[in-house]
Amino acid sequence: MEDDNKRHREKMRKIKAARDRMMATKTDKKGLIIVHTGPGKGKSSSGFGMVMRCIAHGMPCAVVQFIKGNWKTGEADFLRDRFSDECTFVISGEGFTWETQDRERDIAAAQAGWAKAKDLIRNPEITFVLLDEINIALRYGYLDIDEVVEFLLTEKPAMTHVVLTGRNAKPELIEAADLVTEMTLVKHPFRDGIKAQAGVEF
Amino acid sequence: MEDDNKRHREKMRKIKAARDRMMATKTDKKGLIIVHTGPGKGKSSSGFGMVMRCIAHGMPCAVVQFIKGNWKTGEADFLRDRFSDECTFVISGEGFTWETQDRERDIAAAQAGWAKAKDLIRNPEITFVLLDEINIALRYGYLDIDEVVEFLLTEKPAMTHVVLTGRNAKPELIEAADLVTEMTLVKHPFRDGIKAQAGVEF
């Protein structure tokens, strides 16, 4: 047992030294383009977890929710009812596209959301913007991927973070991003007839 | 253009019909064992996003943070300062294990956190419990995986959700879980010398 502890201490000492050396090289800060994609859970909810962190740090932030318009979600209620000073919340769209079945209305909603998103990203007071489910609008061609990428690369203020979520992120966006995470589905209770539940899914 | 819209409408009608049929089979509710693992970002932050949803829905919830003890995190400040009525927040541990370099102290902290976690999970008032970074404590053997899995399968109230986060989730836990997401790292700015930043990482 004493030997175990000694070996453990020695191993941890080496890990800490290696980590400290590595961290010493990480000295820069910059506003990041962050993408959460993939079929697994956690793409939007981790975006909202970051919004919570921003509010905690006193960083003014904003959310534009594409596509999820006619859903009643916990995160929308929470931020609009309790943190409207700290977080600007915009809903653009009227539900997933197969709900509306009206392509022109969906395009108009997505474009209106993107116009608002550009204003929020350009706003120097705001340093964190979550574009929730924008990848769906990009995938269906409701927004032009080249325009979105060009805007992010040329007009996003240097210290502003922008998080873009949704399945099937376009390759052009992944190429432009600084931080990309793919949420992979390992196991899902939908397969066993379990429906979406409050707290977990919305 | 009119043809495009017509084709789109027809396609969306079929997607909606298929989705409605599929959703009609998803009628059950149950408390889920949820695991967020993998090397990518979003494991903890999506857990905190779900906590935000629970607070929004008026579902009393709890967080036990393993391992991250001596970090000052936005989520801890936010929940403890503003939502202590809605969310019980317990910190167990004194930082990642390579920071303390003291195995016995780490084991004692993890065990104390687990004892508290069991009380919170058993509490019928609480229906969502986030065990943040518990996978690290399990991986280092600070907690016994068989005991944790047995407790979740036999003592967790039927309608309570428990979320377990951290890299390298044990196979036994993945086997027992209902919903497992692996966060995969596609691209990370650490490689370019960018350090952890407020809002994004903590």
Side-chain angles (χ1 to χ4, degrees), chain B residues 46-182:
Chain B
S46 63
F48 285 102
M50 288 193 264
V51 168
M52 186 194 284
R53 289 175 177 160
C54 290
I55 294 173
H57 291 296
M59 294 165 58
C61 55
V63 177
V64 181
Q65 219 167 14
F66 288 85
I67 312 291
K68 270 181 188 163
N70 64 3
W71 266 60
K72 196 167 158 52
T73 62
E75 59 270 26
D77 289 350
F78 184 81
L79 293 173
R80 281 185 301 190
D81 296 351
R82 311 202 198 193
F83 294 99
S84 56
D85 288 348
E86 292 90 338
C87 182
T88 305
F89 200 100
V90 176
I91 288 186
S92 166
E94 311 177 66
F96 287 85
T97 188
W98 52 81
E99 292 292 340
T100 66
Q101 307 193 26
D102 182 335
R103 189 159 189 259
E104 289 186 25
R105 208 165 69 185
D106 286 348
I107 291 174
Q111 294 282 350
W114 174 238
K116 190 74 197 164
K118 286 192 285 189
D119 287 345
L120 292 164
I121 293 169
R122 284 194 191 107
N123 183 339
E125 305 286 307
I126 293 173
T127 52
F128 182 100
V129 180
L130 171 60
L131 305 180
D132 190 38
E133 301 290 4
I134 191 172
N135 288 337
I136 311 279
L138 287 163
R139 187 193 179 193
Y140 280 106
Y142 298 168
L143 300 176
D144 181 61
I145 181 65
D146 294 331
E147 194 209 323
V148 170
V149 166
E150 189 187 335
F151 177 84
L152 292 173
L153 293 178
T154 61
E155 296 201 44
K156 182 182 77 60
M159 296 311 294
T160 298
H161 304 295
V162 178
V163 181
L164 305 97
T165 80
R167 292 181 183 217
N168 302 107
K170 291 266 184 182
E172 296 92 326
L173 180 62
I174 290 175
E175 177 64 29
D178 301 292
L179 171 51
V180 179
T181 309
E182 163 120 355

Side-chain angles (χ1 to χ4, degrees), chain B residues 7-23:
Chain B
R7 259 201 310 276
H8 178 85
R9 215 153 40 231
E10 182 54 19
K11 187 175 153 198
M12 289 301 130
R13 195 192 61 71
K14 283 186 185 160
I15 292 178
K16 179 168 161 57
R19 201 182 147 84
D20 288 350
R21 274 196 306 277
M22 190 268 283
M23 294 306 284

Side-chain angles (χ1 to χ4, degrees), chain A residues 170-199:
Chain A
K170 292 265 184 184
E172 296 92 326
L173 180 62
I174 289 175
E175 177 63 30
D178 301 292
L179 172 52
V180 180
T181 309
E182 163 121 356
M183 277 65 173
T184 308
L185 191 70
V186 179
K187 212 183 211 185
H188 200 293
F190 254 42
R191 292 181 191 151
D192 305 320
I194 303 297
K195 66 180 176 182
Q197 296 178 86

